[in-house]
Amino acid sequence: MTYMEAGSRSFWSFDPVLVGCFVFVIFSIVNADADISDNKTLGRGLKAYQPPYDRKEEDASSGALILNDSEKDIDIIATYSDASGTVRTSRVKMKDLSASWVLENPSNGDPDNLKGPQVLKLKDSYQPSKTFEGNVEHFIDDHQLEEGEIQNLQRASWSPVKYKRQILRQKRRDFRTAELIRQVKESDKQMQATAAIESLTNMDTVGKGKYSLWRKDFENPNSDSTLKLMRDQIIMAKAYANIAKSKNQNALYNSLLKHVRESLLVIEEANSDAELHSSALDHAKAMGHALSIAKDQLYDCHTVARKLRAMLQSTEDNVGSLKKRSAFLIQLAAKTVPKPLHCLPLQLAADYFINGYQNKKDLNKEKLEDPSLYHYAIFSDNVLATSVVVNSTVLHANEPEKHVFHIVTDKLNFAAMKMWFILNAPEKAIIQVENIDDFKWLNSSYCSVLRQLESSRVKEYYFKANHPSSLSVGSDHLKYRNPKYLSMLNHLRFYLPEVYPKLHKILFLDDDIVVQKDLTPLWDVDLQGMVNGAVETCKESFHRFDKYLNFSNPKISENFDSNACGWAFGMNIFDLKEWRKQNITGIYHRWQDMNEDRTLWKLGTLPPGLITFYNLTYPLDRKWHVLGLGYDPALNQTEIENAAVIHYNGNYKPWLDLAIAKYKSYWSKYVKVDNYYFRLCHISE
């Protein structure tokens, strides 16, 4: 037997033993791997299952541990609830647990001092401590979470990073949803637009007797549809005619102009279908046919739109020009004396001199200066208007014998005014008529306005209207070019103490007012040291000082409040004693001199009145004085009827044809139409 044979026999002689050892080793390795795998699986399960920190659910969701000994590697029997809620038990090693789990002694919470087997609580180390709450708040501030999301974050068992991922995923889902909705809406809009274009393409634009089928108001038989249609047709025909001329289509151009002329002849001055000629509808049909032909040959959206814009601009320019002409004509009508009103003073003046009344002396002179009576001041050159003021005041006076009317007029109308009140003096009341030219103290050396009226500037402003330097400046303020501003009767109100030196109080009345109640209580009003008692006219931002004065001038802006409330001239109670004490006339002269070049205010008496009586005006109740009947057709009818005085301030005076019809009766009922002179001059209501 050789060595190899001996070795072979020796090796195979141990064959059963080697095989058994090898099988045992393999089995041990597999068993150990299985245990390790089970332990790792349980550890991962425990890591994954981290219940929320809620004491009500702590016992149900936490595992119960049995501690066998105090060695480093501890065998643990853990009970836990899986995702389906089933309670399971498993054996794990301490080293296989997640780092987020700690052992806590129920007695003192110190795992190092444990002795013997004890039951421990398995507690999640990631608890909502103060540090964690601060981190949550910081996380919320950065990402601006909703209230429900904040609560979910505080109660969540996962980390803020996982929660942030969930929020971002939800936002991405919301964004995708919104994007899909937007795409669907855009698709719907495109489909609708396509359908609309197809509908317009297939629409028959040739109407039966109409040009514009889309004008639904033509369907209404009560809306003067034929007249409106023909006017629209004329506009479109003019537009197409201009386009046809620019393209040298003379036949179409002449045809359209012919239809325009025929339509204009049919319409003339008609304001409704009932006023149209019977052939109007036939002309409208013919025009519609011509326009349809023009549209087929000439229609281009941009060209037509450009032409209509040009026509609109031209029309607006014409409207602006007509407004200026209208304003000028209204001013002219307001300044012009109607023939009956011109006749009246002529007839009265002739009879005054024929009958020798110029030598008649005034009676009751002592009453004219009695401060215990009720004194009125009326400065006017209008006989008819002054008679209405006096008649309406006396009619409503409780004690007419105590009322004294001081009427001042100019030299031209003095005889007529005197004659009227000689023949038509109201019962018991006292009437005094004076000529302003008799006030010798009222001269240019004393009166600023008289001195300014004699200047070349003012003469140029009024009497050289065609001069560029005056017309261009005055065109925007035609009302300031009224000749009444040249009359000293308009400025005499600033000299009341000089005109009536012995009176203590006086009530100033304009000649365009009507009195509807007894005015004697005004003399009993305590003005509280003020000079002027008047009704304020400002409402919200209207009729304040900045409406009348030039606050760009430092002389005005440094002395007055732009938001100060304006008040009305026309019915004012003046304390003449206080006037003299505070030298009101001197204040008026000083400001009038500063405004010689008309840079502080335009001509008139209200602006200097606001300045002169600034902080010296006592506001009266609005029921004493209602204004606006000469320009505002929308006044409250009840306020008018309850007012003590109504004022026709504005251009539409009640004695003119311009008057607002619904207000005229308040004035005309005090005109005695059966008077001889009214019949002679054909003055009627």
Side-chain angles (χ1 to χ4, degrees):
M1 183 174 16
T2 65
Y3 175 79
M4 290 297 295
E5 291 176 347
S8 176
R9 284 194 304 269
S10 176
F11 174 81
W12 288 111
S13 64
F14 292 97
D15 182 64
V17 177
L18 290 174
V19 171
C21 291
F22 179 77
V23 171
F24 178 78
V25 170
I26 294 300
F27 178 80
S28 299
I29 291 172
V30 171
N31 188 33
D33 289 341
D35 291 340
I36 292 172
S37 176
D38 290 341
N39 292 339
K40 289 182 178 180
T41 302
L42 178 58
R44 285 194 299 269
L46 292 175
K47 288 179 183 178
Y49 182 73
Q50 298 181 10
Y53 183 70
D54 191 341
R55 293 191 177 278
K56 294 181 179 179
E57 300 174 1
E58 182 177 15
D59 294 338
S61 61
S62 301
L65 306 182
I66 299 177
L67 186 62
N68 293 326
D69 52 51
S70 59
E71 296 178 357
K72 182 175 182 180
D73 190 11
I74 304 173
D75 291 332
I76 301 171
I77 298 175
T79 59
Y80 62 94
S81 300
D82 60 10
S84 62
T86 304
V87 179
R88 296 184 179 278
T89 303
S90 180
R91 185 183 187 91
V92 297
K93 299 291 185 178
M94 184 63 186
K95 63 181 180 179
D96 295 326
L97 291 178
S98 170
S100 62
W101 297 92
V102 298
L103 298 177
E104 180 178 341
N105 190 342
S107 59
N108 55 17
D110 186 2
D112 297 334
N113 297 329
L114 296 177
K115 296 181 180 180
Q118 298 186 34
V119 178
L120 302 179
K121 291 182 179 179
L122 189 61
K123 187 173 182 181
D124 188 357
S125 62
Y126 184 71
Q127 298 181 12
S129 62
K130 293 183 179 180
T131 304
F132 169 74
E133 291 175 356
N135 293 335
V136 170
E137 292 175 358
H138 180 69
F139 176 81
I140 292 170
D141 291 339
D142 288 345
H143 298 279
Q144 299 180 352
L145 301 179
E146 298 293 335
E147 181 179 358
E149 295 174 348
I150 295 173
Q151 294 177 357
N152 292 334
L153 178 60
Q154 292 175 345
R155 295 177 181 177
S157 60
W158 49 79
S159 66
V161 175
K162 292 183 178 180
Y163 188 81
K164 180 180 178 181
R165 291 174 181 170
Q166 183 188 24
I167 294 299
L168 292 176
R169 285 195 297 272
Q170 183 62 36
K171 288 183 178 179
R172 285 195 295 271
R173 286 194 293 269
D174 294 342
F175 176 79
R176 287 195 295 271
T177 303
E179 182 66 16
L180 290 173
I181 293 174
R182 186 185 63 79
Q183 292 177 359
V184 170
K185 288 183 177 180
E186 288 182 354
S187 177
D188 290 341
K189 289 181 180 179
Q190 291 178 356
M191 293 175 63
Q192 292 175 3
T194 303
I197 292 173
E198 292 177 356
S199 176
L200 290 174
T201 303
N202 299 328
M203 185 179 69
D204 183 12
T205 58
V206 180
K208 297 179 180 180
K210 297 180 183 178
Y211 171 67
S212 303
L213 288 178
W214 54 87
R215 291 291 297 275
K216 297 299 182 183
D217 56 331
F218 295 147
E219 301 292 345
N220 186 356
N222 298 322
S223 63
D224 298 323
S225 58
T226 304
L227 179 61
K228 293 180 180 178
L229 175 61
M230 294 185 72
R231 287 174 174 170
D232 285 351
Q233 285 178 336
I234 290 172
I235 294 172
M236 293 304 302
K238 289 180 179 179
Y240 280 128
N242 279 278
I243 297 173
K245 187 176 182 180
S246 65
K247 295 185 177 182
N248 296 322
Q249 297 190 23
N250 295 326
L252 183 57
Y253 170 76
N254 293 328
S255 173
L256 290 171
L257 288 186
K258 176 185 175 183
H259 285 290
V260 169
R261 287 193 296 269
E262 292 176 353
S263 296
L264 288 174
L265 288 174
V266 171
I267 293 176
E268 291 184 343
E269 297 181 358
N271 294 316
S272 63
D273 283 357
E275 299 176 8
L276 291 174
H277 192 270
S278 57
S279 62
L281 188 58
D282 294 333
H283 284 285
K285 291 179 179 179
M287 174 70 90
H289 179 69
L291 287 173
S292 298
I293 295 174
K295 182 179 179 182
D296 293 339
Q297 297 182 17
L298 303 174
Y299 183 77
D300 177 72
C301 183
H302 296 291
T303 305
V304 173
R306 186 166 56 251
K307 183 59 188 174
L308 290 175
R309 281 196 297 269
M311 293 174 66
L312 177 62
Q313 182 63 42
S314 176
T315 303
E316 289 179 348
D317 293 341
N318 291 334
V319 170
S321 176
L322 290 173
K323 284 183 177 179
K324 290 182 179 180
R325 293 182 61 186
S326 175
F328 173 77
L329 292 174
I330 289 174
Q331 293 293 333
L332 182 63
K335 292 182 286 187
T336 303
V337 179
K339 184 177 179 180
L341 293 184
H342 187 66
C343 168
L344 180 62
L346 290 178
Q347 294 292 338
L348 289 169
D351 290 348
Y352 177 80
F353 290 106
I354 290 173
N355 295 313
Y357 285 109
Q358 66 272 23
N359 299 321
K360 186 177 180 179
K361 302 294 181 181
D362 288 333
L363 301 177
N364 301 319
K365 191 172 183 178
E366 67 281 356
K367 290 186 177 181
L368 297 177
E369 298 177 349
D370 187 356
S372 64
L373 300 179
Y374 305 112
H375 294 266
Y376 301 85
I378 305 172
F379 307 146
S380 174
D381 58 359
N382 190 325
V383 176
L384 179 61
T386 304
S387 69
V388 170
V389 176
V390 174
N391 290 341
S392 62
T393 305
V394 173
L395 184 64
H396 294 95
N398 293 333
E399 299 176 298
E401 67 278 2
K402 294 184 178 181
H403 294 256
V404 182
F405 295 88
H406 302 271
I407 302 170
V408 180
T409 188
D410 56 14
K411 184 177 182 179
L412 183 64
N413 293 281
F414 174 73
M417 193 77 72
K418 190 85 171 176
M419 186 63 181
W420 174 265
F421 285 104
I422 289 174
L423 300 177
N424 300 281
E427 296 182 4
K428 301 181 181 180
I430 301 159
I431 307 293
Q432 179 192 28
V433 179
E434 295 180 278
N435 183 359
I436 192 173
D437 289 346
D438 293 337
F439 300 151
K440 301 304 180 183
W441 51 266
L442 195 62
N443 50 59
S444 58
S445 62
Y446 175 67
C447 178
S448 301
V449 173
L450 275 176
R451 184 170 60 254
Q452 292 171 10
L453 291 176
E454 294 175 358
S455 67
S456 58
R457 279 186 184 179
V458 174
K459 290 179 181 178
E460 179 183 347
Y461 183 80
Y462 280 101
F463 301 112
K464 295 183 180 179
N466 60 339
H467 195 280
S469 63
S470 62
L471 184 61
S472 59
V473 173
S475 61
D476 295 334
H477 302 282
L478 287 171
K479 66 179 181 179
Y480 297 121
R481 304 169 69 88
N482 195 317
K484 73 177 182 178
Y485 298 121
L486 293 171
S487 173
M488 271 307 298
L489 287 175
N490 203 42
H491 295 269
L492 191 60
R493 63 192 69 187
F494 294 103
Y495 299 94
L496 287 171
E498 286 87 343
V499 179
Y500 310 108
K502 295 185 179 181
L503 299 182
H504 299 161
K505 276 190 176 183
I506 195 166
L507 183 64
F508 172 79
L509 298 177
D510 264 343
D511 62 358
D512 55 353
I513 64 103
V514 173
V515 178
Q516 301 184 129
K517 292 183 180 180
D518 181 30
L519 300 180
T520 54
L522 285 171
W523 275 264
D524 298 327
V525 173
D526 182 9
L527 298 181
Q528 300 180 6
M530 303 296 181
V531 179
N532 174 28
V535 171
E536 293 182 335
T537 57
C538 57
K539 296 178 181 178
E540 297 178 357
S541 61
F542 302 106
H543 291 204
R544 297 188 182 272
F545 269 44
D546 57 356
K547 176 180 174 64
Y548 306 99
L549 304 176
N550 179 18
F551 275 86
S552 63
N553 192 305
K555 294 179 182 178
I556 296 295
S557 59
E558 293 173 2
N559 290 280
F560 305 100
D561 180 9
S562 61
N563 290 321
C565 189
W567 44 268
F569 253 142
M571 197 281 296
N572 307 80
I573 184 72
F574 290 108
D575 186 340
L576 299 183
K577 293 173 64 177
E578 197 67 31
W579 185 312
R580 299 182 184 99
K581 185 186 301 183
Q582 303 197 34
N583 190 23
I584 299 301
T585 304
I587 297 174
Y588 164 71
H589 282 162
R590 181 166 60 88
W591 282 101
Q592 195 71 47
D593 290 338
M594 286 192 288
N595 190 47
E596 187 171 359
D597 56 356
R598 298 191 306 279
T599 57
L600 304 184
W601 68 85
K602 298 297 181 181
L603 294 176
T605 55
L606 182 55
L610 297 176
I611 288 177
T612 301
F613 297 101
Y614 182 63
N615 290 333
L616 294 173
T617 299
Y618 177 81
L620 300 176
D621 190 285
R622 290 184 182 273
K623 292 182 179 180
W624 281 111
H625 190 186
V626 170
L627 299 99
L629 280 77
Y631 69 89
D632 188 358
L635 293 176
N636 187 299
Q637 206 81 7
T638 303
E639 290 183 0
I640 294 174
E641 294 172 356
N642 293 334
V645 172
I646 56 176
H647 195 170
Y648 290 84
N649 57 312
N651 288 321
Y652 306 139
K653 301 300 183 184
W655 54 83
L656 299 176
D657 292 335
L658 296 173
I660 300 173
K662 63 179 180 179
Y663 300 151
K664 194 169 183 177
S665 61
Y666 296 109
W667 182 86
S668 60
K669 64 183 178 181
Y670 298 104
V671 178
K672 299 179 180 179
V673 293
D674 59 344
N675 185 278
Y676 165 75
Y677 291 99
F678 288 172
R679 294 198 306 270
L680 185 64
C681 294
H682 304 286
I683 296 176
S684 61
E685 295 186 17

